[in-house]
Amino acid sequence: MKRINVSSGTMWEPIVGYSRAVRVGNVVHVSGTTATDEAGSIVGAGNAYKQTMQVLRNIASALERAGASIGDVVRTRIYVTRISDWEEIGRAHGEVFGKIRPTTAMIEVSKLINPEMLVEIEAEAILTNGARSQSRETGRSKKGSRRPRR
């Protein structure tokens, strides 16, 4: 099976040696994702709900670039620095996944890589309906249509 690595373009990926997402066959794994914008700035500092929504937008973008969608997600893992924020984080997760209902876990950790980060989420997706394969280098489907890079 072909392996497709999806990069977010951050400076950390080559240093640490990881990809934002990896697709093998019909399975996509999305790395721990935080609430950063395209410039790498933290979105929603101090606000667990806003950070979670940004994390989920970033995950959706990575999934799309791998030829998947939020609707294909079967599991998430949520890492939080303040378990007391569980309701805000859970509400955001529920707004995105309420009908999809993937398995999940919420785990409190002592800290994330940046003290302003309150939440980090991993996701796994399984494609079931005629998913297209994309080229790692171009982001094009086999039919040649161009997908936006994010």
Side-chain angles (χ1 to χ4, degrees), residues 35 42-48 50-51 82 116-118:
I42 296 171
V43 173
N47 185 312
K50 286 182 180 177
Q51 284 197 19
R82 299 185 312 218
E116 292 182 326
M117 293 175 176
L118 304 175

Coordinates of all heavy atoms in Angstrom, one line a residue, residues 35 42-48 50-51 82 116-118:
A35 N -3.7 24.5 18.7 CA -4.5 25.6 18.3 C -3.6 26.7 17.7 O -3.5 27.8 18.2 CB -5.3 26.2 19.4
I42 N -0.6 31.1 18.4 CA -1.7 30.4 19.1 C -3.0 31.1 19.0 O -3.0 32.4 19.2 CB -1.2 30.2 20.6 CG1 0.0 29.3 20.7 CG2 -2.4 29.6 21.4 CD1 0.6 29.2 22.0
V43 N -4.0 30.4 18.7 CA -5.4 31.0 18.6 C -6.1 30.7 19.9 O -6.1 29.6 20.4 CB -6.1 30.4 17.4 CG1 -7.6 30.8 17.4 CG2 -5.4 30.7 16.1
G44 N -6.7 31.7 20.5 CA -7.6 31.5 21.7 C -6.8 31.3 23.0 O -7.2 30.6 23.8
A45 N -5.7 32.1 23.1 CA -4.9 31.9 24.3 C -5.8 32.1 25.6 O -6.6 33.0 25.6 CB -3.8 33.0 24.3
G46 N -5.7 31.2 26.5 CA -6.5 31.2 27.7 C -7.9 30.7 27.6 O -8.6 30.6 28.6
N47 N -8.3 30.4 26.4 CA -9.7 29.9 26.2 C -9.7 28.5 25.6 O -9.5 28.3 24.4 CB -10.4 30.9 25.2 CG -11.9 30.7 25.0 OD1 -12.3 29.5 24.8 ND2 -12.7 31.7 25.2
A48 N -10.1 27.6 26.4 CA -10.1 26.2 26.0 C -11.0 25.9 24.9 O -10.7 25.1 24.0 CB -10.4 25.3 27.2
K50 N -12.1 28.0 22.5 CA -11.6 28.5 21.2 C -10.4 27.7 20.7 O -10.3 27.5 19.5 CB -11.2 30.0 21.4 CG -12.4 30.9 21.5 CD -12.0 32.3 21.6 CE -13.2 33.3 21.7 NZ -12.8 34.7 21.9
Q51 N -9.6 27.3 21.6 CA -8.4 26.5 21.2 C -8.9 25.2 20.6 O -8.4 24.7 19.6 CB -7.4 26.3 22.4 CG -6.6 27.5 22.7 CD -5.4 27.2 23.5 OE1 -5.0 26.0 23.7 NE2 -4.9 28.2 24.2
R82 N -5.5 21.4 31.8 CA -6.4 21.7 32.9 C -7.7 20.9 32.8 O -8.6 21.2 32.0 CB -6.8 23.2 33.0 CG -5.6 24.1 33.2 CD -6.0 25.5 33.3 NE -7.0 26.0 32.4 CZ -7.0 27.2 31.8 NH1 -6.1 28.1 32.1 NH2 -8.0 27.6 31.0
E116 N 1.0 28.4 26.7 CA -0.3 28.9 26.4 C -1.2 27.9 25.8 O -2.4 28.1 25.7 CB -0.1 30.1 25.4 CG 0.6 31.3 26.0 CD 0.7 32.4 25.0 OE1 0.9 32.2 23.8 OE2 0.6 33.6 25.4
M117 N -0.7 26.7 25.4 CA -1.5 25.7 24.8 C -2.2 24.9 25.9 O -1.6 24.4 26.8 CB -0.6 24.7 24.0 CG 0.0 25.4 22.8 SD 1.1 24.2 21.9 CE 1.5 25.2 20.5
L118 N -3.5 24.8 25.7 CA -4.4 24.1 26.7 C -4.8 22.8 26.3 O -5.2 22.0 27.1 CB -5.6 25.0 27.1 CG -5.3 26.4 27.5 CD1 -6.7 27.2 27.7 CD2 -4.5 26.4 28.8

